[in-house]
Amino acid sequence: QVQLVESGGGLVQAGGSLRLSCAASGDIFSINAMGWYRQAPGKEREWVASITNVGRTDYADSVKGRFTISRDNAKNTVYLQMNSLKPEDTAVYICWGWIVDTNRNDYRYWGQGTQVTASS
């Protein structure tokens, strides 16, 4: 059993900052890439950022220069630092991780999501 649990969402004024965390736990053998998606009401799920197990990062154009993804491999945790938030960043942010469990099964696991609201 593997779980991803997010924290750090909330309400912030436009221009403000938030830091999201996502911790993986359970029967983990190794973790490959991790990242974040987001989904706003009435819109499709949108990829936000990814980070490999050696720290290579990629970002959606809409967040590049404002968001920073990082990870702490010792804690099995991925972070998303969000600066200069805009109202259009308002969404449920969902973390994911490609995780190899102790049975050597490779699967993408998802968190439950955390709400981020940037008010104008």
Side-chain angles (χ1 to χ4, degrees):
Q1 190 84 6
V2 174
Q3 288 185 322
L4 296 178
V5 179
E6 298 112 329
S7 60
L11 173 64
V12 65
Q13 286 191 333
S17 299
L18 283 173
R19 188 192 193 210
L20 306 182
S21 300
C22 173
S25 63
D27 301 327
I28 297 170
F29 175 74
S30 64
I31 303 178
N32 296 315
M34 302 185 80
W36 297 87
Y37 275 76
R38 67 186 181 185
Q39 187 160 22
K43 295 188 177 181
E44 292 192 355
R45 186 173 291 191
E46 174 190 22
W47 169 74
V48 175
S50 302
I51 184 167
T52 68
N53 57 350
V54 293
R56 176 183 171 180
T57 59
D58 287 293
Y59 298 93
D61 288 342
S62 58
V63 306
K64 202 170 292 185
R66 300 187 297 120
F67 290 11
T68 302
I69 189 170
S70 61
R71 64 191 284 173
D72 184 334
N73 291 332
K75 296 181 178 179
N76 291 337
T77 299
V78 62
Y79 305 96
L80 187 68
Q81 177 67 43
M82 304 183 294
N83 298 330
S84 303
L85 281 161
K86 304 175 181 180
E88 52 264 43
D89 294 319
T90 295
V92 174
Y93 284 70
I94 306 157
C95 75
W96 57 268
W98 276 106
I99 297 174
V100 180
D101 64 22
T102 52
N103 291 320
R104 303 302 190 266
N105 297 312
D106 186 4
Y107 186 73
R108 181 151 76 168
Y109 291 87
W110 298 86
Q112 80 286 355
T114 186
Q115 177 69 44
V116 171
T117 303
S119 63
S120 57

